């Protein structure tokens, strides 16, 4: 690797070592067919690494963007990657996209979102947040649907589900994101309207104004989930239909938990009963 390439890629792997088990809704579950699972894992690994790039404290904003640009170039076949775990995830996802015919923007759109994370740490409107989710979350659902050969008519309901999941994740991590990354996705005017500020997320628990902001965001999530309910019945592949139905159920259950539990005091999580209930509720999609 020449000096210019060394400056871009750096000298160390930035991957965190997290895996699908660290997520609320792990992709590549047993509901995905064995034949397609390696492609899903390749996509997941790539997404995890570019997320790690933007969240590391070992790179400044411009270094993060340069590394993300390089990952995009590898995915699109415009440059080679060093023989290192994090960079090689871009090679593998590029091969997956080429072999399956899934759109390259299901990978490169994620990079658009993470470039934004490198330079933007506050949001002023719901529309800004939705636009971020368009790139940070919606491509994941579209990747899975394209991989299964589903009709593009499924995309709108999938986008609603993925945006709901992303906003839920922002609520779960609101205090930690501010503390570790100085990043907050809660719209600032919504906070101001309720007489609170971003710094109220540093308290040991959510004050009433914050609770009202959470409730307003969850109202939007509930609306998205009502649209997402349509997704399973639109999917032809039985296993993917079941996967979608389970995730819709989990999304609704976690949103309900966030209504009554405090994400500032501690991360709100799904219970085993939530998972069992979501799976049981999805069984009707198999008939």
């Amino acid at each position: 690797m020449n000096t210019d390439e060394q400056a871009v890629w750096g000298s160390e792997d930035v991957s965190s070592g997290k895996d699908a088990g660290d997520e609320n809704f792990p992709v590549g579950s047993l509901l995905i067919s064995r034949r397609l699972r390696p492609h899903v894992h390749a996509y997941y690994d790539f997404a995890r690494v570019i997320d790690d790039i933007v969240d590391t404290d070992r790179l400044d904003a411009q270094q993060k963007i340069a590394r993300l640009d390089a990952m995009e170039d590898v995915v699109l076949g415009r440059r080679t990657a060093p023989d290192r775990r994090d960079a090689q995830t871009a090679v593998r996802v590029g091969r997956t996209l080429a072999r399956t015919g899934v759109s390259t923007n299901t990978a490169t759109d994620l990079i658009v979102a993470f470039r934004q994370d490198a330079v933007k740490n506050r949001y002023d409107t719901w529309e800004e947040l939705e636009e971020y989710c368009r790139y940070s979350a919606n491509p994941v659902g579209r990747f899975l649907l394209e991989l299964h050969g589903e009709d593009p008519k499924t995309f709108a309901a999938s986008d609603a589900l993925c945006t709901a999941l992303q906003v839920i994740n922002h609520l779960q991590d609101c205090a930690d994101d501010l503390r570790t990354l100085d990043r907050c996705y809660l719209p600032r005017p919504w906070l101001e309207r309720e007489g609170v500020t971003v710094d109220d997320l540093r308290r040991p628990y959510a004050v009433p104004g914050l609770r009202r902001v959470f409730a307003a965001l969850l109202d939007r999530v509930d609306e998205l989930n009502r649209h997402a309910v349509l997704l399973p019945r639109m999917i032809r592949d039985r296993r993917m239909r079941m996967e979608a139905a389970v995730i819709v159920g989990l999304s609704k259950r976690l949103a309900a938990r966030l209504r009554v539990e405090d994400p500032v005091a501690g991360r709100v999580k799904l219970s085993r009963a939530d998972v069992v209930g979501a799976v049981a509720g999805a069984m009707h999609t198999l008939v």
Side-chain angles (χ1 to χ4, degrees):
M1 194 162 35
N2 62 36
T3 303
D4 289 341
E5 289 292 287
Q6 178 68 34
V8 170
W9 292 106
S11 59
E12 56 184 322
D13 187 320
V14 298
S15 56
S16 68
K18 293 180 181 178
D19 58 28
D22 296 296
E23 300 298 307
N24 283 321
F25 310 100
V27 295
S29 76
L30 293 177
L31 292 172
I32 301 293
S33 74
R34 187 181 300 274
R35 176 179 63 86
L36 296 178
R37 231 172 281 164
H39 297 306
V40 177
H41 291 157
Y43 184 82
Y44 176 86
D45 289 343
F46 169 76
R48 168 55 59 195
V49 165
I50 59 175
D51 189 23
D52 289 342
I53 288 171
V54 81
D55 285 352
T56 183
D57 60 3
R58 302 197 298 269
L59 302 173
D60 63 29
Q62 292 309 308
Q63 289 171 321
K64 291 175 182 180
I65 290 172
R67 186 81 66 93
L68 291 168
D69 288 347
M71 293 286 278
E72 179 179 68
D73 285 344
V74 173
V75 171
L76 298 176
R78 298 192 296 227
R79 74 196 298 166
T80 58
D83 186 16
R84 208 173 61 200
R85 180 187 179 278
D86 58 349
Q88 286 298 310
T89 60
V91 175
R92 288 192 290 275
V93 84
R95 289 173 181 162
T96 273
L97 297 173
R99 290 170 182 168
T100 62
V102 173
S103 304
T104 56
N105 60 13
T106 58
T108 58
D109 277 359
L110 296 177
I111 294 175
V112 172
F114 293 139
R115 284 195 195 100
Q116 181 169 308
D117 274 336
V119 296
K120 182 178 176 67
N121 60 6
R122 298 291 187 272
Y123 286 76
D124 288 319
T125 66
W126 170 259
E127 290 73 24
E128 279 188 4
L129 189 54
E130 272 192 315
E131 181 70 4
Y132 173 78
C133 295
R134 173 187 170 190
Y135 292 99
S136 67
N138 298 0
V140 179
R142 293 189 179 212
F143 171 84
L144 290 169
L145 292 169
E146 286 194 40
L147 186 65
H148 285 81
E150 296 297 334
D151 194 302
K153 291 178 181 177
T154 59
F155 290 172
S158 172
D159 290 348
L161 176 59
C162 291
T163 295
L165 295 176
Q166 182 72 89
V167 175
I168 284 170
N169 188 250
H170 291 332
L171 286 171
Q172 285 179 289
D173 294 342
C174 59
D176 191 55
D177 281 346
L178 185 66
R179 181 174 59 254
T180 62
L181 303 169
D182 189 33
R183 190 182 299 152
C184 181
Y185 296 97
L186 310 182
R188 283 184 292 192
W190 294 28
L191 295 167
E192 293 168 5
R193 183 178 65 210
E194 300 300 340
V196 292
T197 70
V198 166
D199 285 332
D200 283 299
L201 291 170
R202 303 184 194 279
R203 295 173 179 267
Y205 57 86
V207 296
L210 271 180
R211 296 294 322 183
R212 291 191 292 272
V213 173
F214 296 162
L217 283 167
L218 288 167
D219 288 344
R220 300 294 182 103
V221 168
D222 288 348
E223 183 179 339
L224 290 164
N225 277 334
R226 284 192 288 273
H227 188 186
V229 167
L230 303 175
L231 179 61
R233 70 187 70 169
M234 301 169 69
I235 294 174
R236 295 185 299 260
D237 183 273
R238 291 178 77 247
R239 296 174 73 114
M240 185 62 205
R241 191 187 315 142
M242 179 73 170
E243 173 95 348
V246 170
I247 294 176
V248 169
L250 293 175
S251 179
K252 293 168 68 176
R253 287 168 180 270
L254 189 45
R257 280 191 172 275
L258 283 162
R259 291 274 185 188
V260 296
E261 298 181 34
D262 185 356
V264 175
R267 199 168 198 270
V268 177
K269 298 179 181 180
L270 292 162
S271 68
R272 184 179 296 274
D274 287 324
V275 176
V276 171
V279 172
M283 293 301 292
H284 72 279
T285 64
L286 295 178
V287 298

